[in-house]
Amino acid sequence: MDPVTLLRRLTYGLHHAPGYVDLYAHTMWALLTAHPWLPQASGLLVRDLAERTERLLDGGGISERSRRELSTVNYVLRDRT
């Protein structure tokens, strides 16, 4: 699967559910670390992902590791778009 499709699926599958948010947060963090060009690939997708990650960060109830990784994802999205 190409990186853009994977990011799209992760974005639309990201939800606040026990056991999944940690997996999604880590996978998105790793994907954006491995492919730093991804934020330029789809502006609409990146805006949607930024909104979803901000809601999770604002809502609380996520692990400290997920909070760090989602904060990094948010930073990368803002810095590169």
Side-chain angles (χ1 to χ4, degrees), residues 52-67:
R52 290 171 190 249
T53 56
E54 285 174 14
R55 280 195 303 264
L56 281 171
L57 289 168
D58 290 344
I62 60 175
S63 72
E64 190 57 39
R65 179 180 177 175
S66 290
R67 180 167 297 285

Side-chain angles (χ1 to χ4, degrees), residues 1-2 7 9 11 16 19 29 36 39 41 46 50 54 61 64 68:
M1 180 177 310
D2 71 278
L7 184 62
R9 288 186 179 182
T11 298
H16 194 167
W29 171 81
V46 167
E54 285 174 14
E64 190 57 39
R68 276 192 316 272

